[in-house]
Every structure is written in C-alpha cells, then in structure tokens.
Amino acid sequence: MASIGASELVCSLPPHRPELSRITTVVAPSAVDRLYAASTLAFSQFPGGGLQTKIFSWIFGPNSLSKNGTFLLVQLQLWPLLVPNLVKLGLLPLCQSSVELEADKQCQWLLHRHFRALTFSRNLLFSLPISAEPNSNSSRTIFSSSSSLSCSSYSNSSVKELQNPTPKRDNHFVILGIETSCDDTAAAVVRSNGEILSQVVSSQADLLAKYGGVAPKMAEEAHSQVIDQVVQEALDNAYMTEKDLTAVAVTIGPGLSLCLRVGVQKARQIAGSFKLPIIGIHHMEAHALVARLTEKDLQFPFIALLISGGHNLLILARDLGQYVQLGTTIDDAIGEAYDKTAKWLGLDLRRSGGPAIEELAKEGNAKSVNFSVPMKQHKDCNFSYAGLKTQVRLAIESKKIDAKIPISSASKEDRLARADIAAAFQRIAVLHLEERCERAIQWALKMEPSIRHLIISGGVASNHYVRSRLDMVVKKNGLQLVCPPPRLCTDNGVMVAWTGIEHFRMGRYDPPPPVEEPENFVYDLRPRWPLGEEYAEGRSDARSIRRARLHPSLTSIIQASSQQ
Ligand code: KG4
Ligand code: ZN
C-alpha cells in the first residue's frame, strides 16, 4: 500500500474557529484506515485543543454498510482547506456512489464491530515516528518532511509500544462520565489532569428499601426520570456546557441492560448533537482505575479487589486494558450478602444494606455466632457468598428475629441478637476476602514481581472494617493498600469519566454518533462482560462459573484490535 509523505499534508489553519464542510462519501474499509492515518497526523499536530476533534467526525448512520459488507458510508466533517490535500493523496474521493445500502440489525452489529476495530487500530498511530513543528503564531501548520507514514505497517508495530504510547499533547481535555449500570444515576465532569469539576449521584434508595433489592424495570424508570437532570447538574456544577466537553464516556457493561440503555442513550444524544467522540466504559475497570485518579503514583502492574453488589473480582492489572482475572464469585457477591443480611435483620436500607450492617456490627460480638468460612477446601481465588447467606438466614430464624419489626423498634435484647449476627457475618465475609487476597498476592507476584500495590474499590470497599483487615494482609505481604475515598468507591460518574480519560489518551474512542438515532437502534450493551481472561492455573474446581452469554472480555477485545 502507498505510503503518505507527511510533508504533503499541509493544512492551512484558519485563525478562528473554522467553518466545517460536510462530505458524504462511500469508502472501502481499508481507505477508512488511511483516512484515520491522516486525521491522526492532523490530530496530533494542531495547536488549540478545542479544535482537535473537529478535524474529522465520522458519522455512521444505520444505513452504513453495503450488502456485501465491503463499503462504509462515511460522513466526514472537515476543514475545506484540508480537502485538496486529501484528494491529492488519493484519500478522497474513494467513492462508489451507487452502492446499495441496507439497514437491518445484523448490518448495524457488523458495522459496529468493524468500526470498533478501526477505532482501536488508531492506537498504533501513536507509536509512529512523527516529528513536527507546528508554528503556533501563523495560521499554517506544516508536518515535517522527514516523517512519513506507511499505511500498511500499522499492524506491525510492537504491542509494547502500543500499550504505552505517549500522548502527543494533553491539553487538559474535559470528559463527561455517565453511569447507570445498576441503581445509581450518576454523572461527573473531570479534567484530564484528574481535577473533578463536578460529581452528581442520584440513588434509588427509596426503591431499594421498598423492594429489598434492585428491580430492573423500576430501576430503568427511575434512571429515565432523573438522567437529564443529573447530567445537567453535573455540567452546571462544572460551569460548563456540552460545547466545552472533549468527549463523553458512558458505562456500557456489565450491568442491567435496561439500566445501561438509559445512560448510553443519553450519552449518545449529547455526543451526536455536539459532535463529540464517545467512549464505552467497563464498569469494573472504572472501579479499579479510579484509584489512579486519587493516587497519582499508582503505576501498573497492581492487584485489584473489586467488591460491590453484583461483583466480587480479584484481578491483576498489568497495564491499561490488560487484565488477568485471578478470581470471581461462583454465585453471589459480598455486597449482595450484606444487603440480604441487612434486609433479614430488619435494618434501614435507605443507605443500602452495607453501611447499615457496618454500623450495627460495632455493637455486636463477632464471635458469638459460628459461621464457617466459604470455600476453605478450594485452594483458588474464587468467592462464594450464597452458603454464608444461608447460614445467616438460619441463624436469624433460630433466634426468632422478626424482620418486620424495624431495628429502631426492637427491644434491647433483640437489638443485641441482631448486632451479634451482623458482626459475625461481617467477620466471616471479610475473612473470606482476606484468604483470597493472600493467595492472589502470591499468584500475581509470580507473574509480575514488580507489583507494589493492592487496591480495593467498589461499594463494599468503603467499609472501614474491610479496609483495616485488608490493610493488615497487604502490609504482611510487603505491599501497600490503596483505597479511593468512599464516595468514589460506590458507583459514581467520576470513575467513568476518568476511565474515559485514560482510554481517550490512548486513542481508544468511537466517533460521534448520528444526531438522530432511530427508535429501534440496537445499542452496544454488554450486560455480562468479563474484564480479563481467567488465570489458567487458578481455574476453579468448585461449581462451574456461569459462562453463558458472556461477551468477549475487554482485554481480549483490546488485544485483538492491537494485533490487526
Ligand atoms: O459499587 P456499588 O455502589 O454498586 C454496584 O456496582 O453494585 O456497590 C453497592 C454495594 C451494595 O451491595 C452496598 O450494600 C455495598 O456496596 N456497600 C457496602 C458499604 N457501602 C456500600 N457494603 C459494606 N459496607 C459499606 N460501608
Ligand atoms: Zn459498581
């Protein structure tokens, strides 16, 4: 394939915000890659960060893929002055105007997958030797004639380079993060230097208290009711409008599809209307990476214990997007066990079950009830909380505790009996974490001896008892514990925005969606989406972990796109 001499890409920069011209064309996928090459060159070189994303916007409508899947309909927005150069380079027009287009769901899915791969392949461009001296005083930018870009060589770049590309420039870009995967509607605006400009969380505490858990349809409705207000408040509190944003990040999985959909729809509306790139975020990766916002020295590799209502994960984070799953739960997560125990003990669930148990446990004797530690006989790093839940339920029944009597109305003895169970449950639930962490540290150090930190995050990591017990385990093994502050441990928009920032820097993002999407548009939602592949030596010999309808892991997607 031809090589583009970078010196040929001479772009005249208008002094003010330029008028963009819109061109609709049909291009072969291979040509899209070449267009990306050009856009990335321009992207990395132009001064005035606010203009960067406007050089090219890729708008793929639902009718974007031809019947045989060979051509893409691409709408480009670009500076008129760039056009002659692109034509000269043979990048435009690559038109096949008579290609027939169709818009079924299969087509949208294929397009999405194809496009995603293209987006990720952009990372490779960062590792290319581009030297340039943009002349910020004049309206002309010239790429150094010594640099050239071979379009056929992307996939030959070394993976290591890919994983650690140095961003060309960091103009303190600003990202809006939206989170609706479970029962919290959250949004935040974060600057690329880690400055949190705003953070808004609307929790469904009343619903939670009423149903004793998350009811997907109700949760979806609750998200829909508040999403506009939450996002608006996040922008207002940051003293910004959508026009000031560089990109929008949104959780696309794992979580409840109905709920995820509300956030994704909102994010796409904003990104479409304001021509902003959009970044799909893995909820659990966000829980882990937020620790890098609060602890600036936290470098890869590190171990992460992610403990929330729906997840119990132990991972080795080797690099951004490179995770090894050391352990997961074979049934329930620890947060679910906290929530159910709280419900059965008649506690006030308005702040969710975890904090209520933590509070009550302080009054009880943790050794007064004997619960057994789960999975003692399994020498792996997986978790199980279903059995402990049953033990707790039986203990509650045997002590004749009536959950219908709220704790606030319980007699002194009744309250003490409940506190004993809360304390005993918490001790064993956390002991299970301690044992698994101890083993995970040994396993991870074998793979990555340079590990210095273990981070804990997710709602349960805001628990002080959990923190202090794990601190002892981590210190005993010569590592340091990192815990984000409680408000960043529970679901929030900051973690989503920050993870967006980390990926955006690496060139991993999608183009702005169309301004209007059809009602029946199939969103890319990933309700069951592993973070990384299982550690081969750590496969559970316990009851098999459910693998049905699993989406390919984030790590495998990133690896596959890097190798293209
Ligand atoms: O991460 P998160 O906010 O949402 C999910 O992704 O699930 O975690 C929510 C879970 C709930 O189960 C809640 O009871 C638990 O975190 N949690 C706690 C505490 N605060 C929240 N569990 C124990 N102690 C706490 N202080
Ligand atoms: Zn969470």
Side-chain angles (χ1 to χ4, degrees):
M1 206 184 279
S3 144
I4 305 170
S7 60
E8 294 171 84
L9 259 182
V10 179
C11 311
S12 299
L13 257 179
H16 304 297
R17 206 177 175 88
E19 279 305 306
L20 297 173
S21 72
R22 183 171 288 193
I23 296 177
T24 305
T25 183
V26 179
V27 300
S30 57
V32 174
D33 243 2
R34 301 178 67 206
L35 281 166
Y36 259 129
S39 91
T40 305
L41 260 182
F43 184 97
S44 62
Q45 303 297 333
F46 281 120
L51 296 177
Q52 291 170 347
T53 58
K54 303 290 184 191
I55 298 167
F56 288 96
S57 293
W58 305 78
I59 303 165
F60 292 82
N63 298 339
S64 313
L65 202 66
S66 71
K67 264 193 181 132
N68 61 10
T70 325
F71 291 94
L72 300 171
L73 176 69
V74 179
Q75 207 175 60
L76 308 171
Q77 282 196 346
L78 65 172
W79 294 337
L81 290 169
L82 206 57
V83 176
N85 296 304
L86 295 175
V87 171
K88 206 167 90 191
L89 295 171
L91 291 173
L92 278 178
L94 297 148
C95 302
Q96 288 275 328
S97 51
S98 63
V99 173
E100 241 185 87
L101 302 168
E102 69 172 6
D104 60 16
K105 286 184 180 169
Q106 168 75 3
C107 165
Q108 287 176 19
W109 172 238
L110 277 174
L111 172 72
H112 181 88
R113 294 230 322 230
H114 183 79
F115 181 67
R116 220 177 161 75
L118 287 174
T119 308
F120 282 135
S121 76
R122 284 168 45 96
N123 305 331
L124 293 150
L125 297 166
F126 281 104
S127 60
L128 292 167
I130 299 164
S131 67
E133 289 173 69
N135 181 350
S136 52
N137 294 330
S138 84
S139 61
R140 236 169 129 71
T141 301
I142 300 176
F143 295 107
S144 154
S145 58
S146 64
S147 60
S148 76
L149 176 61
S150 166
C151 291
S152 59
S153 65
Y154 306 162
S155 48
N156 298 332
S157 300
S158 87
V159 173
K160 196 63 211 167
E161 255 182 319
L162 250 182
Q163 288 165 354
N164 290 314
T166 315
K168 282 274 162 231
R169 292 147 13 92
D170 188 343
N171 281 331
H172 290 316
F173 50 87
V174 178
I175 289 191
L176 166 70
I178 299 178
E179 159 62 43
T180 60
S181 67
C182 191
D183 57 340
D184 290 315
T185 318
V189 179
V190 181
R191 223 184 261 286
S192 53
N193 62 358
E195 189 186 346
I196 299 170
L197 299 176
S198 66
Q199 177 180 9
V200 180
V201 181
S202 164
S203 77
Q204 302 176 4
D206 293 345
L207 284 181
L208 216 64
K210 188 166 167 195
Y211 296 100
V214 182
K217 197 74 195 121
M218 307 284 175
E220 178 202 17
E221 240 177 77
H223 283 304
S224 302
Q225 275 168 18
V226 298
I227 185 79
D228 290 342
Q229 194 191 331
V230 165
V231 169
Q232 193 54 52
E233 231 175 274
L235 289 168
D236 291 348
N237 294 353
Y239 299 104
M240 289 200 170
T241 70
E242 291 89 341
K243 289 196 184 112
D244 301 306
L245 299 172
T246 316
V248 183
V250 60
T251 304
I252 60 170
L256 300 165
S257 316
L258 287 174
C259 299
L260 289 165
R261 197 186 150 82
V262 177
V264 170
Q265 196 169 28
K266 178 70 183 174
R268 290 179 73 87
Q269 266 166 16
I270 297 175
S273 308
F274 294 88
K275 302 283 174 289
L276 298 167
I278 185 159
I279 312 149
I281 300 295
H282 191 295
H283 181 82
M284 300 315 287
E285 185 188 33
H287 270 307
L289 293 189
V290 77
R292 278 166 51 87
L293 180 156
T294 54
E295 189 70 42
K296 293 281 185 296
D297 295 335
L298 178 61
Q299 301 290 336
F300 294 104
F302 58 82
I303 305 167
L305 170 69
L306 307 175
I307 36 180
S308 64
H311 299 272
N312 231 93
L313 271 182
L314 255 168
I315 57 161
L316 162 61
R318 303 189 105 153
D319 209 332
L320 181 64
Q322 304 294 321
Y323 308 105
V324 179
Q325 183 181 295
L326 303 171
T328 185
T329 178
I330 63 165
D331 42 52
D332 296 327
I334 184 171
E336 152 76 13
Y338 265 96
D339 292 338
K340 281 283 156 25
T341 302
K343 183 180 165 194
W344 295 332
L345 288 176
L347 307 191
D348 181 353
L349 299 178
R350 274 173 304 176
R351 280 196 310 138
S352 81
I357 293 282
E358 182 179 8
E359 232 10 71
L360 184 63
K362 290 179 192 153
E363 300 172 27
N365 174 0
K367 302 258 174 80
S368 61
V369 191
N370 260 339
F371 294 133
S372 54
V373 184
M375 294 183 84
K376 269 277 191 206
Q377 70 281 23
H378 298 286
K379 306 291 178 212
D380 57 38
C381 291
N382 289 313
F383 302 89
S384 164
Y385 281 97
L388 180 59
K389 262 168 58 178
T390 306
Q391 293 183 61
V392 168
R393 191 169 46 75
L394 294 175
I396 290 172
E397 280 168 17
S398 79
K399 295 205 175 208
K400 309 237 174 330
I401 292 166
D402 183 358
K404 286 196 215 80
I405 302 171
I407 183 94
S408 50
S409 319
S411 67
K412 206 169 160 201
E413 300 83 73
D414 186 3
R415 185 181 177 94
L416 194 60
R418 296 187 202 206
D420 283 348
I421 290 177
F425 156 75
Q426 177 163 262
R427 187 174 84 89
I428 299 303
V430 178
L431 206 51
H432 188 28
L433 296 180
E434 292 169 43
E435 289 184 358
R436 284 3 222 182
C437 279
E438 185 101 41
R439 183 170 295 119
I441 292 171
Q442 307 313 324
W443 285 4
L445 282 173
K446 263 202 290 180
M447 283 182 271
E448 297 277 2
S450 64
I451 290 171
R452 293 284 164 269
H453 298 96
L454 185 148
I455 72 129
I456 55 168
S457 186
V460 183
S462 53
N463 180 301
H464 291 93
Y465 179 76
V466 171
R467 288 173 179 232
S468 68
R469 295 293 306 186
L470 289 172
D471 192 41
M472 286 194 282
V473 172
V474 169
K475 278 208 181 102
K476 198 176 90 191
N477 286 279
L479 302 183
Q480 207 184 323
L481 186 74
V482 176
C483 331
R487 75 196 169 94
L488 294 182
C489 278
T490 47
D491 287 354
N492 64 84
V494 173
M495 67 184 197
V496 177
W498 175 252
T499 305
I501 287 167
E502 295 242 32
H503 282 288
F504 189 77
R505 278 207 194 103
M506 307 290 276
R508 291 186 196 127
Y509 54 83
D510 284 344
V515 180
E516 297 242 351
E517 273 171 338
E519 283 268 301
N520 61 351
F521 187 78
V522 184
Y523 293 113
D524 176 21
L525 308 175
R526 305 173 182 186
R528 304 195 59 226
W529 187 19
L531 198 45
E533 302 307 309
E534 247 178 283
Y535 176 47
E537 287 174 44
R539 287 249 157 84
S540 180
D541 54 349
R543 198 149 48 89
S544 74
I545 293 162
R546 277 203 307 145
R547 287 170 217 280
R549 287 186 290 116
L550 276 190
H551 198 280
S553 75
L554 173 72
T555 303
S556 67
I557 293 172
I558 291 182
Q559 272 169 357
S561 54
S562 318
Q563 282 156 14
Q564 274 181 4

